[in-house]
Amino acid sequence: MAVDLLLGLQWGDEGKGKIVDVLTSNYNIIARFQGGPNAGHTLVFNGMKHVLHTIPSGIFHDDAVNLVGNGVVIDPVIFKRELDKLEEQNVDYRSKLIISRKAHLILPTHRLLDAASEAAKGKAKIGSTLKGIGPTYMDKTGRNGIRVGDIELKGWKKRYRNLANKHEAMISFHNVDIQYDLDELENEFFEALEVLKSLTFIDSEEYIFQAIKSGKSILAEGAQGSLLDIDFGTYPFVTSSNTTAAGACTGLGIAPNKIGDVFGIFKAYTTRVGSGPFPTELFDEDGETMARVGQEFGATTGRPRRCGWLDLVALKYACQVNGVTQLMMMKADVLSGFDKIKVCTSYQYKGEAIWHFPFNIDPENVTPNYIEMPGWSEDLTEMDDISQLPKTLNDYIDFLEKELDTPIKIVSVGPDRKQTIFR
Ligand code: GDP
Ligand code: IMO
Ligand code: MG
């Protein structure tokens, strides 16, 4: 059977966690393929809110296996905290959570190095979540990293020490004031590592290969969003992994011809957290309304998210790069009450209108060209059938489907699992 992918099409926080949870009953395996605890995936059901960082969003379902793939970077300390929370909810994760031996570990000094590197950048900082993501992927591609499978072998602690020493030298090279107590951080790290060790480690590419062969259904869960992709995002204001469809192949060991549907998730407007260009960003009351009604605060860092109108130039680009086959539009309820809704359909780039996503989208090069559509005032949050949606919202959806040449199969009208309308 083919592997379906679910990916964010904007700058993250599109609502991936919610939809993975909604779709999990259709799948045997839910697999994360990249990113790490920089992600914050929110699930709401039975009056409870859960935020997952590294653990796949299928974990609350009894029948699905949840796999943390080789492309993911794991901070054992954060992972343990996630497990503790699951335990509090009486979730029996041991029977259904498996981890790739090839996933890389985030060390305490990776986190410190992230902080030092950001501090040294000053105003030019990326706005990283400071979870050590960049330094860990740097060590992976630099062939210095420590992987989950290493901790089952002898002698890895010597490699650990050498690497941590090197990181300390790099931290002092940055010449910024970072206070830390490495002994304390390492105690916490090694303690958490013992918990990680008590879970099931697997050779995940073999596991996936056999699962596909035996007809199991698999959903690959993306983290971050396409515009944060290391190659195709708004570099350097991106994360350090391939968040786009190809990342699922390398992050799980899935051959490209085994990919089935690609579900692309987007908000009915746009948000971004951290630094970097954002052509449709609003600095007015409309932006404030989106942030307030949409409760736009980061699920990992609590930072306010920047808000703006939907950017179709960027969205089309993301659909192209990922080969999206079905779209899911989130947070339609947040736009209720806007008289007019704006959509950016082209960029004004060096005096000319362009329809493709250019190399550079800094404000001095790009300004958005908008069309305006009538809004809707109805409260959508109690609606559960497409026939109840206001005509102006249906017009908005039809317009987007036509522009993106891809069907919008889900319209989400609230954070709860149940507030999901299928089309
Ligand atoms: P993810 O990183 O893509 O999983 O998304 P996050 O969990 O970081 O952010 C999405 C936020 O929007 C969370 O607080 C969700 O509970 C919330 N959310 C998801 N879908 C909807 C929706 O349709 N309407 C509203 N109002 N909130 C939603
Ligand atoms: P989910 O999976 C939104 C952003 C950070 C920063 C940049 C680099 O919840 O959608 P990093 O910590 O990766 O070095 O940060 O990427 N970022 C996210 N923004 N959602 C996320 O994940 C993000 N993960 C990283 O804010 O701008
Ligand atoms: Mg998030």
Side-chain angles (χ1 to χ4, degrees):
M1 214 160 156
V3 179
D4 295 334
L5 312 183
L6 184 140
L7 310 153
L9 299 180
Q10 296 161 319
W11 279 289
D13 302 330
E14 296 87 352
K16 298 174 291 293
K18 167 179 167 166
I19 297 298
V20 170
D21 171 57
V22 166
L23 297 180
T24 296
S25 47
N26 302 337
Y27 292 93
N28 301 121
I29 300 166
I30 308 296
R32 270 280 301 269
F33 59 88
Q34 47 67 235
N38 49 349
H41 295 180
T42 313
L43 286 65
V44 179
F45 54 86
N46 301 337
M48 291 276 287
K49 176 173 148 174
H50 310 269
V51 181
L52 296 165
H53 300 287
T54 329
I55 294 175
S57 299
I59 198 72
F60 293 98
H61 292 253
D62 287 337
D63 300 329
V65 170
N66 286 258
L67 165 65
V68 179
N70 59 279
V72 176
V73 290
I74 299 176
D75 182 334
V77 177
I78 296 178
F79 205 87
K80 178 180 177 296
R81 269 185 227 142
E82 289 191 65
L83 296 176
D84 290 346
K85 284 220 176 101
L86 290 176
E87 219 151 71
E88 280 168 27
Q89 313 291 326
N90 294 319
V91 177
D92 172 25
Y93 56 80
R94 282 186 190 282
S95 59
K96 55 185 179 187
L97 181 61
I98 52 181
I99 300 171
S100 169
R101 289 197 173 88
K102 292 194 172 77
H104 279 244
L105 291 175
I106 301 177
L107 313 184
T109 43
H110 281 133
R111 254 185 287 140
L112 297 170
L113 201 48
D114 207 358
S117 157
E118 282 283 81
K121 283 194 161 118
K123 275 195 178 150
K125 72 174 183 188
I126 308 297
S128 149
T129 60
L130 302 180
K131 302 295 175 198
I133 304 296
T136 306
Y137 279 115
M138 275 167 68
D139 273 336
K140 175 178 177 175
T141 51
R143 297 156 296 178
N144 300 311
I146 294 177
R147 300 185 289 177
V148 166
D150 288 328
I151 66 176
E152 295 177 313
L153 306 174
K154 282 192 192 121
W156 74 273
K157 282 205 176 143
K158 189 158 181 270
R159 277 186 53 222
Y160 169 90
R161 190 78 272 146
N162 289 341
L163 191 56
N165 287 345
K166 182 172 136 192
H167 290 160
E168 284 210 280
M170 289 162 79
I171 291 163
S172 60
F173 169 81
H174 281 300
N175 203 16
V176 289
D177 185 26
I178 302 279
Q179 304 287 333
Y180 61 90
D181 178 342
L182 190 55
D183 286 342
E184 199 178 304
L185 293 173
E186 288 188 338
N187 284 341
E188 187 186 38
F189 174 78
F190 285 111
E191 218 179 282
L193 213 51
E194 288 308 310
V195 177
L196 193 72
K197 248 174 148 172
S198 72
L199 300 177
T200 307
F201 298 164
I202 58 159
D203 298 327
S204 57
E205 61 282 13
E206 172 66 14
Y207 179 86
I208 294 271
F209 180 79
Q210 295 299 344
I212 294 172
K213 207 169 149 192
S214 63
K216 296 248 167 67
S217 52
I218 304 172
L219 178 65
E221 172 180 3
Q224 290 79 55
S226 302
L227 303 177
L228 290 170
D229 183 275
I230 183 74
D231 283 283
F232 301 106
T234 47
Y235 193 90
F237 301 102
V238 294
T239 191
S240 298
S241 64
N242 280 118
T243 60
T244 45
C249 295
T250 56
L252 287 168
I254 301 167
N257 62 351
K258 293 291 189 290
I259 303 292
D261 266 313
V262 180
F263 305 128
I265 302 217
F266 68 103
K267 278 179 187 164
Y269 48 102
T270 310
T271 64
R272 170 163 211 173
V273 59
S275 325
F278 178 179
T280 62
E281 182 169 13
L282 291 167
F283 300 95
D284 60 5
E285 220 173 280
D286 285 343
E288 283 163 27
T289 305
M290 287 172 192
R292 189 186 66 251
V293 180
Q295 298 186 15
E296 295 295 355
F297 293 94
T300 294
T301 58
R303 293 177 294 175
R305 297 181 185 137
R306 302 151 65 190
C307 296
W309 296 114
L310 192 65
D311 181 341
L312 266 184
V313 180
L315 203 52
K316 262 184 205 167
Y317 170 71
C319 285
Q320 272 170 223
V321 170
N322 291 304
V324 171
T325 60
Q326 295 186 21
L327 288 161
M328 290 149 183
M329 186 172 87
M330 310 302 287
K331 295 198 143 182
D333 55 300
V334 176
L335 291 188
S336 290
F338 282 90
D339 273 355
K340 295 250 185 293
I341 300 210
K342 288 192 187 182
V343 185
C344 164
T345 51
S346 65
Y347 291 157
Q348 205 63 24
Y349 183 78
K350 299 183 178 168
E352 266 180 44
I354 58 162
W355 285 265
H356 73 277
F357 198 74
F359 177 74
N360 180 286
I361 59 159
D362 286 343
E364 60 267 30
N365 293 322
V366 159
T367 46
N369 294 322
Y370 290 109
I371 59 135
E372 266 187 14
M373 298 186 73
W376 54 90
S377 54
E378 291 85 343
D379 175 5
L380 310 179
T381 57
E382 302 285 320
M383 297 183 181
D384 54 13
D385 190 89
I386 178 159
S387 62
Q388 298 167 314
L389 297 182
K391 178 176 181 307
T392 44
L393 170 55
N394 275 324
D395 291 345
Y396 187 60
I397 295 170
D398 289 345
F399 172 74
L400 299 179
E401 276 190 330
K402 215 164 128 229
E403 287 287 314
L404 298 166
D405 198 17
T406 312
I408 297 179
K409 291 288 200 178
I410 284 179
V411 179
S412 176
V413 293
D416 195 278
R417 211 186 241 178
K418 288 195 195 130
Q419 291 169 303
T420 310
I421 300 178
F422 290 86
R423 289 176 86 238

